[in-house]
Amino acid sequence: DEKAQALEDIGLAIGIDGGSLDFRYWRGVIADETGDHETALSDFSWVISLDPENAEYLDSHAWTLYSLGRFPEALGDIDPAQSVDPDL
C-alpha cells in the first residue's frame, strides 16, 4: 500500500533528519489519513511547538483532535489558525 510505504520512507527520513518540520508534518498527515490519530497528534504537536503560528499545522492538529472526539480542544486550535489564515 502506498501510504504504508510513504510512512516507512518518511520514518527513514526522520531517522536521518529528525529536526525536519516537513518530514514530521507529512508523517502526521499520512498517519491521520490511515487512522493513526495518536501518531498524527504527536507529530502535529511537535511541529506546532517549533512553529506555533503556522496555520496549516494548527488546522491539521485541530482536525486530528476532532477525529478523536476532542471537540473543545479542536476549537481551541481553529481560532489561532484562522487569525493567521482567515481562509482556513
Side-chain angles (χ1 to χ4, degrees):
D1 154 299
E2 288 181 17
K3 289 184 181 179
Q5 184 62 52
L7 279 173
E8 184 179 329
D9 292 346
I10 290 174
L12 293 171
I14 290 170
I16 295 167
D17 182 6
S20 170
L21 293 173
D22 288 336
F23 292 155
R24 292 287 291 266
Y25 172 73
W26 285 106
R27 182 175 68 178
V29 169
I30 296 167
D32 195 48
E33 288 178 0
T34 60
D36 186 358
H37 303 302
E38 293 300 331
T39 295
L41 195 60
S42 175
D43 283 336
F44 295 147
S45 295
W46 187 84
V47 296
I48 289 169
S49 75
L50 297 174
D51 189 359
E53 294 186 11
N54 185 305
E56 188 173 11
Y57 297 168
L58 291 165
D59 183 63
S60 295
H61 192 257
W63 277 110
T64 302
L65 288 168
Y66 180 84
S67 297
L68 291 168
R70 294 165 58 178
F71 307 122
E73 291 173 85
L75 287 173
D77 280 351
I78 292 297
D79 289 336
Q82 286 185 328
S83 71
V84 174
D85 183 354
D87 293 329
L88 284 179

